[in-house]
């Protein structure tokens, strides 16, 4: 997001620096233009959250107004004190289902006791989230790889589309909550689909797509919703006055004014102890969704996410929300992406959304009640289509089959199992693939590309990959192996490295001396140090030795701690290749040099047998 010029508004209630410290750098960039864009995006967010808040509260086992409370207070707090400028927080499908699954064994859903448990566990979740951010444990979010994020995004898009289908087709709500159950419900009830609902959805999509193509700076989603609602109302009036009865379109319906009220959760200490474990589980659900959605939206907007600040903002929103009749909230994908696509510029779009929700329900309840659910579902389908990036799937398949597999597994898991488990599964698969790659560091045989003064070291072959053909067909010294080490030699990689080194020593007429070019060996641990000690002993036992070219300071420090430096000797560590070769050359067997035809080193010109025509190199 580009920062505006000097026309930026300055906050008058707080000094600019204090406001920036408290809310973030976006306060410097608020202008009349951004306020207008944020207000329009906030209006769309308020309209979208109306039916969702009601539906999600019901899923959570709470009265409908609690979903609207959760769309107001946490939405404002998380936007102002979080990191993302576009994520809208509030009630979500996953949080609602998780809350119901965890609390229903403890109390009857919709009962006063159940409501108090929901409010109390929300405060606990908020405290845990805030502590994670305050202790700067947001680094955990770095383990969500781009492949996992992409798979989660695609899976979330499919979930959004699947759950929008019943309303888009004018069908009754699915009795099941999973994507599979919803699809089965849609397929079995397909003969009962309402043509009027399909027509409203098609009009909404058509208007929105046309405006997005030709008037992208207009609030195309909101305009599409208004056009479809107006046409649906006219159709209903015509149908009501006609001679042929017709099925009525399902609309948002009557909504009570959602004025959040302060309420202390009323539970016993015994109940509080039962809720602690549930709060940990819900924290995983909420934070897994929140950071994944924040990073997904940030990829589209180009913003950098501060995970610790995002966790603190989410935590504060749940702490405050728990005292204002709100249940567990987090970032919502199906409101955040429309918010971004509708042109939101700052977090004030979320603030506008919450305030406009209050105003809309209070002033325009009768008009809002006429919004067809099919039109809202069509907008959600539009968002889902924009998230399903087929071109990137093809690119990922061509670039990395491993990342493609991780993304595909995460997408399937997102659709079929709980969201937090899907994210954890994707993270586990990413870490496993990373550990597999790092457990096989590259070990490349090196040689010279010619015999002139300007010759360079080049890769001859890759001994750890027998299927890879040699890079160059060049001679090697029969006594000194030049090996470039690329990667970390830690406990997970030592077996692979040891196998390669053993294979080099087990060849017929092996090269007894080994010079390891170690500037790309960035890290070793105790197991790595022990590996090199074993290799040193094996080389000396066969009459040769082990040498290193430019080992990194981190590696040298570990060698000193483990005593390997004393075993190796500092004279076996060289600052450059030519010093290393000239020093090692003096330790080679002159009898082997006498009959050698490789003659790849400058020192070979003065070695025994250099004048014998039979020992001259062939190329």
């Amino acid at each position: 997001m580009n920062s505006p010029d000097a026309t930026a508004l300055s906050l008058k209630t707080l000094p600019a620096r204090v406001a920036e410290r408290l809310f973030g750098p976006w306060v410097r960039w608020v202008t009349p233009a951004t306020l207008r864009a944020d207000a329009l995006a906030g209006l769309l967010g308020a309209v979208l959250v109306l039916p969702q808040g009601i539906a999600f509260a019901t899923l959570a086992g709470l009265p409908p107004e609690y979903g609207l409370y959760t769309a107001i207070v946490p939405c404002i707090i998380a936007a102002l004190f979080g990191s993302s400028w576009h994520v809208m927080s509030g009630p979500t499908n996953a949080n609602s289902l998780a809350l119901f699954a965890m609390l229903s064994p403890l109390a009857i859903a919709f009962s006063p006791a159940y409501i108090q448990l929901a409010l109390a566990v929300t405060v606990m979740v908020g405290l845990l989230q805030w502590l994670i951010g305050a202790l700067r444990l947001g680094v955990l979010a770095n383990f969500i790889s781009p492949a996992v994020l992409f798979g989660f995004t695609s899976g979330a898009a499919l979930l959004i589309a699947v759950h929008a289908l019943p309303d888009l087709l004018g069908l009754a709500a699915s009795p099941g909550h999973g994507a599979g159950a919803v699809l089965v419900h849609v397929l079995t009830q397909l003969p009962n689909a309402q043509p009027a609902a399909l027509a409203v959805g098609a009009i909404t999509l058509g208007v929105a797509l046309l405006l997005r193509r030709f008037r992208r700076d207009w609030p195309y989603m909101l305009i599409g919703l208004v056009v479809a609602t107006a046409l649906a109302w006219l159709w209903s009036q015509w149908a009501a006055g006609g001679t042929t009865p017709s099925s009525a379109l399902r609309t948002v319906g009557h909504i009570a004014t959602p004025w959040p009220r302060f309420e202390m959760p009323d539970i016993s200490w015994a109940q509080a102890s039962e809720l602690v474990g549930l709060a940990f589980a819900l924290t995983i659900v909420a934070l897994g969704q929140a950071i994944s959605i924040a990073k997904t939206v940030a990829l589209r907007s180009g913003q950098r996410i501060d995970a610790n600040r995002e966790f603190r903002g989410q935590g504060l929103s749940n702490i405050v929300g728990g005292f204002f009749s709100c249940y567990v909230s987090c970032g919502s994908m199906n409101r955040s992406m429309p918010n971004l696509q509708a042109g939101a510029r700052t977090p004030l779009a979320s603030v506008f959304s919450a305030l406009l929700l209050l105003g809309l329900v209070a002033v325009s309840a009768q008009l809002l009640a006429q919004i067809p659910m099919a039109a809202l579902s069509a907008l959600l389908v539009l968002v889902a289509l924009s998230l399903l990036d087929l071109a990137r799937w093809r690119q990922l398949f061509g670039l990395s089959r491993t990342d493609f597999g991780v993304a595909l597994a995460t997408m399937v898991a997102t659709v079929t199992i709980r969201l937090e488990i899907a994210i954890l599964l994707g993270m586990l698969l990413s870490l496993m693939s990373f550990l597999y790659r790092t457990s096989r560091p590259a070990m490349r045989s090196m040689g010279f590309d010619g015999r002139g003064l300007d010759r360079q070291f080049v890769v001859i072959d890759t001994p750890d990959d027998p299927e890879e053909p040699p890079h160059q067909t060049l001679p090697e010294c029969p006594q000194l192996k030049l090996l470039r080490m690329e990667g970390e030699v830690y406990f997970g990689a030592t077996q692979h490295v040891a196998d390669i080194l053993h294979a080099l020593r087990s060849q017929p007429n092996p090269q007894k001396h080994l010079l390891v070019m170690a500037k790309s060996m960035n890290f070793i641990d105790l197991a790595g140090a022990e590996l090199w000690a074993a290799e040193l002993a094996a080389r000396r036992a066969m009459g040769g030795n082990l040498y290193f070219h430019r080992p990194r300071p981190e590696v040298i420090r570990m060698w000193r701690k483990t005593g390997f430096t004393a075993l190796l000797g500092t004279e076996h560590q060289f600052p450059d290749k030519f010093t290393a070769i000239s020093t090692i050359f003096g330790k080679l067997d002159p009898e082997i040099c006498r009959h050698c035809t490789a003659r790849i080193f400058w020192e070979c010109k003065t070695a025994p047998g250099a004048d014998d025509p039979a020992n001259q190199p062939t190329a």
Side-chain angles (χ1 to χ4, degrees):
M1 176 178 174
N2 297 324
S3 58
D5 54 21
T7 61
L9 298 176
S10 61
L11 296 182
K12 299 182 179 179
T13 56
L14 288 172
R17 289 185 180 179
V18 175
E20 183 177 342
R21 176 84 174 176
L22 189 61
F23 301 119
W26 60 267
V27 297
R28 294 176 295 168
W29 303 336
V30 177
T31 68
T34 64
L35 288 174
R36 183 167 56 252
D38 289 340
L40 289 173
L43 180 58
L44 177 63
V47 173
L48 283 176
V49 81
L50 272 171
Q52 292 178 12
I54 295 170
F56 291 160
T58 304
L59 288 180
L62 295 167
E65 61 268 21
Y66 281 79
L68 299 181
Y69 298 153
T70 308
I72 295 172
V73 177
C75 186
I76 295 174
I77 301 295
L80 293 179
F81 296 97
S83 173
S84 176
W85 297 349
H86 300 100
V87 168
M88 278 192 173
S89 293
T92 66
N93 192 3
N95 282 344
S96 301
L97 292 174
L99 186 70
F100 177 77
M102 294 176 186
L103 294 185
S104 55
L106 304 180
I108 299 175
F110 301 100
S111 67
Y114 184 95
I115 293 173
Q116 295 304 313
L117 290 176
L119 299 182
V121 80
T122 298
V123 175
M124 292 181 181
V125 169
L127 289 171
L128 289 173
Q129 291 176 319
W130 187 87
L131 282 174
I132 289 174
L135 295 175
R136 306 193 67 78
L137 297 178
V139 66
L140 297 174
N142 295 335
F143 291 97
I144 304 177
S145 71
V148 172
L149 200 58
F150 180 56
F152 172 77
T153 302
S154 300
L158 291 175
L159 284 178
I160 292 171
V162 167
H163 284 280
L165 286 177
D167 285 329
L168 186 64
L169 297 172
L171 302 175
S174 170
H177 302 310
V182 174
L183 278 177
V184 170
H185 171 74
V186 168
L187 292 175
T188 55
Q189 297 295 318
L190 199 57
N192 299 324
Q194 292 187 35
L198 277 172
V200 168
I203 291 170
T204 307
L205 279 174
V207 172
L209 288 172
L210 286 173
L211 288 175
R212 188 174 71 172
R213 180 175 179 84
F214 298 107
R215 290 289 185 271
R216 196 167 181 83
D217 55 334
W218 288 13
Y220 57 90
M221 298 180 76
L222 186 60
I223 293 176
L225 186 63
V226 170
V227 170
T229 301
L231 291 177
W233 182 82
L234 290 174
W235 178 86
S236 65
Q237 295 300 308
W238 174 82
T243 58
T244 304
S246 59
S247 300
L249 282 171
R250 194 158 72 90
T251 60
V252 171
H254 175 70
I255 302 170
T257 304
W259 293 106
R261 58 183 182 272
F262 182 81
E263 182 178 359
M264 288 288 292
D266 184 14
I267 61 171
S268 66
W269 285 107
Q271 290 175 313
S273 63
E274 287 186 272
L275 294 180
V276 172
L278 301 182
F280 274 105
L282 281 170
T283 299
I284 295 174
V285 176
L287 284 186
Q289 289 183 85
I291 196 62
S292 297
I293 291 170
K295 292 179 73 172
T296 299
V297 176
L299 286 176
R300 297 297 182 99
S301 65
Q303 185 202 346
R304 290 181 61 86
I305 295 296
D306 181 345
N308 292 312
R309 185 181 181 92
E310 187 67 21
F311 290 167
R312 292 196 302 270
Q314 291 290 334
L316 191 60
S317 71
N318 278 315
I319 293 172
V320 176
F323 292 106
F324 282 90
S325 304
C326 306
Y327 70 96
V328 179
S329 71
C330 73
S332 168
M333 179 69 81
N334 55 7
R335 291 193 297 278
S336 300
M337 289 306 299
N339 182 49
L340 173 64
Q341 295 175 359
R345 303 284 296 279
T346 74
L348 291 179
S350 296
V351 178
F352 281 125
S353 173
L355 297 178
L356 287 171
L357 177 60
L358 276 173
L360 284 173
V361 176
V363 177
S364 308
Q366 292 183 347
L367 291 177
L368 293 174
Q370 303 302 316
I371 296 177
M373 294 299 295
L376 291 175
S377 298
L379 292 184
L380 295 179
V381 170
L382 181 60
V383 171
L385 290 175
S386 68
L387 292 176
L388 284 174
D389 193 343
L390 297 181
R392 190 177 175 193
W393 276 108
R394 289 192 296 269
Q395 181 188 42
L396 192 62
F397 183 80
L399 292 176
S400 172
R401 300 295 171 84
T402 300
D403 286 344
F404 178 85
V406 170
L408 183 62
T410 306
M411 181 185 74
V412 173
T414 301
V415 174
T416 56
I417 62 178
R418 288 173 10 203
L419 292 186
E420 77 280 7
I421 302 300
I423 295 168
L424 291 175
L425 175 64
M427 292 171 63
L428 180 61
L429 291 175
S430 290
L431 289 175
M432 289 175 62
S433 66
F434 169 77
L435 289 175
Y436 177 77
R437 288 195 298 268
T438 59
S439 69
R440 301 175 62 85
M443 303 170 70
R444 308 183 189 279
S445 296
M446 304 298 292
F448 295 102
D449 63 357
R451 300 182 184 277
L453 293 175
D454 59 346
R455 64 183 184 167
Q456 301 291 324
F457 273 99
V458 294
V459 175
I460 296 177
D461 65 12
T462 307
D464 57 328
D465 189 356
E467 297 182 359
E468 184 175 339
H471 292 250
Q472 301 278 351
T473 304
L474 296 172
E476 288 189 79
C477 173
Q479 299 191 68
L480 175 59
K481 180 72 175 181
L482 305 178
L483 189 68
R484 188 170 74 190
M485 189 81 226
E486 299 177 359
E488 290 69 36
V489 184
Y490 68 104
F491 66 92
T494 51
Q495 187 60 51
H496 172 75
V497 176
D499 290 344
I500 299 301
L501 294 174
H502 180 266
L504 293 176
R505 295 195 307 271
S506 302
Q507 294 176 350
N509 302 316
Q511 298 148 298
K512 297 179 180 180
H513 297 271
L514 174 63
L515 172 60
V516 179
M517 301 172 188
K519 68 177 181 179
S520 296
M521 184 173 67
N522 300 315
F523 166 79
I524 66 168
D525 60 1
L526 179 59
E530 292 174 346
L531 166 75
W532 290 121
E535 180 66 15
L536 175 63
R539 289 285 169 179
R540 287 177 175 173
M542 62 191 295
N545 222 316
L546 178 63
Y547 310 89
F548 290 91
H549 160 250
R550 291 182 63 183
R552 299 182 69 86
E554 297 85 352
V555 173
I556 294 174
R557 282 196 292 270
M558 177 58 72
W559 283 347
R560 287 173 178 167
K561 290 178 181 179
T562 59
F564 177 69
T565 299
L567 291 174
L568 178 69
T570 55
E571 69 276 7
H572 284 214
Q573 301 173 31
F574 302 98
D576 61 80
K577 299 183 185 75
F578 298 103
T579 301
I581 291 172
S582 64
T583 302
I584 300 170
F585 188 85
K587 301 178 182 181
L588 302 182
D589 187 343
E591 286 304 312
I592 297 178
C593 290
R594 187 181 300 277
H595 303 288
C596 177
T597 60
R599 307 281 171 176
I600 65 172
F601 304 128
W602 295 119
E603 291 79 4
C604 295
K605 295 179 179 180
T606 60
D611 297 332
D612 188 343
N615 296 336
Q616 297 303 310
T618 58

